[in-house]
């Protein structure tokens, strides 16, 4: 399918140490004319690959650009078919030399070592996929994963949420083991002032879950007083005046369905299959 255009564009090309080159691109539908005041401006030795790539891209869209200088036809790019003897010189049938002046100009520019002025092909943005149908195909179904980590890992930890942090100060982080005690006793795994000697305990059970149990004093989860509570990533645990936040890496956090969240407000979360006994 041909692409229809309407163009009237003037441009100046400046090359260091040389006069500026003036050009004008105009035309309608799929036939355009590029007028340049310097015939050899785009005939540098390293410009040929870029010109060939441009010609092939124009041809794929049914566009023809006729390059002229001083009223004379130099070359046509795009939706053309060059004779075989020109293809041997240009490397593509999508570039057709329009006159002997065009061929002479290109040969003279290359022989004199005219500096390349066009961008390297690596700077040209990739073309839009065409047709667009492949971009609308449904994604390939992926196998379902779970958060059942047989190694019982995930770096479970509690972070002390302090409201009076100084700039650059880091919040204390406490790693959780199989049996973690919280209290004011110096022998407690997590020792915090103002608590009972043994305020609460966190156990790592056979289901690979971390469960907090109140021992003495007030123990809250999200503001509600609890006796026992399973911890999930983001759970806010309050002991006395201290607030701790539980975190476990997502691949091992059983609260994450199928190993991760589904984005979007209408995302449908499927439950995980039952875990195997450890």
């Amino acid at each position: 399918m041909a692409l229809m255009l309407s163009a009237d564009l003037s441009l100046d090309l400046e090359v260091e140490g040389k006069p500026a080159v003036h050009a004008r691109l105009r035309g309608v539908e799929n036939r355009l004319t590029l007028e340049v005041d310097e015939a050899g401006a785009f005939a540098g030795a390293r410009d040929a690959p870029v010109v060939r790539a441009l010609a092939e891209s124009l041809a794929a869209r049914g566009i023809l650009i006729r390059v002229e200088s001083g009223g004379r036809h130099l070359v046509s790019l795009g939706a053309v078919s060059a004779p075989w003897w020109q293809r041997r010189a240009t490397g593509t049938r999508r570039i057709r030399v329009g006159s002997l002046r065009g061929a002479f100009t290109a040969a003279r520019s290359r022989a004199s070592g005219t500096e390349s002025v066009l961008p390297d092909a690596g700077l040209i943005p990739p073309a839009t996929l065409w047709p667009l149908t492949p971009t609308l195909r449904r994604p390939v179904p992926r196998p379902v994963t779970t958060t059942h980590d047989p190694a019982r890992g995930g770096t479970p930890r509690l972070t002390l949420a302090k409201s009076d942090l100084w700039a650059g100060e880091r919040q204390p982080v406490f790693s959780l083991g199989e049996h973690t005690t919280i209290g004011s006793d110096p022998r407690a795994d997590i020792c915090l002032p103002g608590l009972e000697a043994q305020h609460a305990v966190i156990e790592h059970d056979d289901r690979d879950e971390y469960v907090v149990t109140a021992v003495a004093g007030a123990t809250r989860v999200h503001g509600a007083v609890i006796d026992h509570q399973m911890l999930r990533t983001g759970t806010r645990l309050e002991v006395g005046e201290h607030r701790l936040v539980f975190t476990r890496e997502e691949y091992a956090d059983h609260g994450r369905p199928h190993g991760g969240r589904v984005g979007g407000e209408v995302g449908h979360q499927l439950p995980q299959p039952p875990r195997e006994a450890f």
Side-chain angles (χ1 to χ4, degrees), residues 182 200-203 210-214 219 221 226-231 237 239:
I182 303 174
V201 62
I202 298 177
E203 298 278 357
Y210 285 83
V211 180
V212 59
T213 301
T219 300
V221 169
I226 57 96
D227 292 324
H228 303 276
Q229 179 67 48
M230 188 181 299
L231 300 178
L237 173 64
V239 286

Side-chain angles (χ1 to χ4, degrees), residues 59-132:
R61 291 162 175 77
I63 301 174
L64 170 65
I65 295 182
R66 176 187 173 96
V67 183
E68 298 180 353
S69 180
R72 294 188 180 183
H73 179 206
L74 299 179
V75 66
S76 294
L77 309 174
V80 295
S81 182
W84 66 269
W85 55 272
Q86 290 188 11
R87 300 178 197 176
R88 295 179 65 88
T90 62
T92 175
R93 66 189 181 96
R94 299 306 184 183
I95 300 178
R96 180 166 187 153
V97 179
S99 64
L100 291 176
R101 183 183 178 187
F104 175 73
T105 300
R108 183 182 61 185
S109 297
R110 293 180 184 178
S112 62
T114 300
E115 184 180 357
S116 299
V117 297
L118 296 176
D120 184 80
L123 298 178
I124 299 176
T128 302
L129 292 176
W130 188 263
L132 296 178

Side-chain angles (χ1 to χ4, degrees), residues 20-88:
V21 177
H22 306 285
R24 183 185 181 190
L25 179 67
R26 56 187 174 82
V28 294
E29 296 185 347
N30 58 351
R31 294 293 183 268
L32 305 176
T33 300
L34 177 64
E35 300 174 356
V36 294
D37 59 1
E38 172 55 49
F42 306 106
R46 292 184 296 173
D47 285 336
V50 179
V51 174
R52 280 197 298 268
L54 174 62
E56 295 289 346
S57 179
L58 292 171
R61 291 162 175 77
I63 301 174
L64 170 65
I65 295 182
R66 176 187 173 96
V67 183
E68 298 180 353
S69 180
R72 294 188 180 183
H73 179 206
L74 299 179
V75 66
S76 294
L77 309 174
V80 295
S81 182
W84 66 269
W85 55 272
Q86 290 188 11
R87 300 178 197 176
R88 295 179 65 88

